[in-house]
Amino acid sequence: ALPVELKGPSGVTQQVVGQVLYDTVQFDPTTGEEKVINNPVVILRRSSLSEIPLAGQKWHIRIPSDPSTTSKLEDYVIDGDRPPEGGRSIGFIRLYLRKVIQS
């Protein structure tokens, strides 16, 4: 479990603990190969959240830069191409993240 900080559209900041998956495997249909992509996924317990992220909402998420509880927190947003997954019956929500790049 790693610390996760969420700030939703209402401006409320929540600090919770969740599972962070740093790498995901994607299948490339043109080459037939699997590629490892560094787009983190955060899995949180719905009951630990005071506000639940919904598709289309802007959320600012901060997670550790590596799988250590003492790592510096880095800035991400929920990926607009992949809405949050998970329902009330499951009790967990999965958030696909995209790194914030400052210009």
Side-chain angles (χ1 to χ4, degrees):
L2 293 172
V4 177
E5 186 178 287
L6 300 97
K7 185 174 184 180
S10 68
V12 175
T13 299
Q14 304 176 59
Q15 297 197 7
V16 297
V17 175
Q19 181 181 19
V20 179
L21 307 173
Y22 287 92
D23 299 317
T24 55
V25 176
Q26 290 184 343
F27 179 74
D28 185 347
T30 57
T31 63
E33 297 179 353
E34 290 183 340
K35 296 189 294 186
V36 176
I37 307 293
N38 187 314
N39 283 338
V41 177
V42 173
I43 302 165
L44 303 169
R45 198 172 197 67
R46 291 177 67 92
S47 62
S48 68
L49 300 172
S50 59
E51 186 178 358
I52 306 291
L54 301 173
Q57 290 182 328
K58 305 278 187 210
W59 282 76
H60 178 230
I61 314 288
R62 298 184 77 217
I63 61 171
S65 57
D66 62 59
S68 165
T69 56
T70 58
S71 294
K72 176 180 126 270
L73 296 180
E74 292 187 334
D75 297 313
Y76 289 84
V77 293
I78 294 178
D79 188 340
D81 295 336
R82 300 204 54 192
E85 294 178 352
R88 290 184 186 135
S89 61
I90 296 174
F92 291 93
I93 188 165
R94 181 182 299 244
L95 306 173
Y96 296 92
L97 306 183
R98 195 171 278 187
K99 184 120 174 94
V100 171
I101 300 171
Q102 297 181 1
S103 55

